Amino acid sequence: MKKIIVFLLAIIVVLQSHSQNSVRVGFSFHPGISGLTNRIETDNNIKGQIYEGARFSTFSNLYADYKLIKGLRLYVGLGYTILNFDFIQKKENYEPGFLEDVFPEMKFWINTEYTLKSFFYSLPMGISYDFKLNEKLIIQTKLGLCLNYLDYYYIKFDAYYTTLPKESRTDYFEEINTYMHNVDIGIGLNYALFPKLSFVFQPNLKYFIAKTDDLCPIIEGNYYNIGLEFGILYTFNP
């Protein structure tokens, strides 16, 4: 990871020293709400209705962009992504029956709450285009691809039964190599606070190409995230 950061910084220095075009570096933070494009599916051994829950996720990036021609820029960066997905699985039309009365010590499942939390190293890259409105305000658009390499993830289970207390367990998964790349689309505003320093505000959409069953076999679908990007940009060569 340190080698990648050094490599990115080296690119910035080289671009800045060998080009008359502007090079910008910045930091951005993207809070957003994640969901699934497909309905959650369960295998034949798991019966029950699925209810989706809260899905707040965050994306943090350090990046640089380079002016190719007027308005058009190329960007690349490094980041860290935290994806969250919560859901509840309830037994369909559950009614206590004869077995619960005869065997009260047995586990009769009612519902299970799951929390899936995933952590990724991210490498965003793509193109952006600036529409200059005046000396201070720019409409900024971008289209890119973000390569996400799984750091680790965990699944927390809270199982509820008819006659026994709640049972909880958290399973951590660290030594696996999983990629979940996403497409990144955004359009927003770039406002110049000072001649070389600007503030970025940009609504964006992220769509993940890989299906979530690579992480959790209970659910299958593609993540998407709708959020807001807040960032600061510094320009080296105006």
Side-chain angles (χ1 to χ4, degrees), residues 77-196:
L78 288 171
Y80 200 74
T81 296
I82 303 175
L83 284 177
N84 296 297
F85 194 78
D86 299 339
F87 59 95
I88 300 173
Q89 185 180 19
K90 293 187 176 181
K91 198 168 184 179
E92 294 179 331
N93 302 320
Y94 178 82
E95 294 182 2
F98 171 76
L99 290 177
E100 283 88 336
D101 297 331
V102 178
F103 303 104
E105 74 282 358
M106 292 184 63
K107 295 181 179 181
F108 294 95
W109 170 74
I110 300 177
N111 63 63
T112 304
E113 297 179 3
Y114 299 86
T115 298
L116 172 61
K117 196 163 189 175
S118 312
F119 302 80
F120 295 88
Y121 295 112
S122 301
L123 181 65
M125 60 186 73
I127 57 173
S128 65
Y129 195 88
D130 294 346
F131 297 91
K132 189 173 182 180
L133 300 180
N134 52 52
E135 292 302 317
K136 282 189 170 292
L137 193 61
I138 295 173
I139 296 177
Q140 185 172 305
T141 63
K142 72 174 179 180
L143 174 63
L145 176 68
C146 187
L147 309 180
N148 300 297
Y149 178 80
L150 184 66
D151 182 12
Y152 72 97
Y153 76 99
Y154 67 80
I155 303 175
K156 181 181 179 183
F157 304 85
D158 289 323
Y160 295 84
Y161 304 94
T162 56
T163 57
L164 295 177
K166 180 181 75 171
E167 179 180 311
S168 299
R169 187 178 85 247
T170 301
D171 293 340
Y172 286 85
F173 302 85
E174 299 182 8
E175 297 180 358
I176 56 176
N177 298 322
T178 299
Y179 299 87
M180 288 188 68
H181 308 322
N182 69 271
V183 177
D184 197 357
I185 302 172
I187 180 170
L189 297 176
N190 181 322
Y191 181 78
L193 301 173
F194 302 100
K196 291 190 175 184

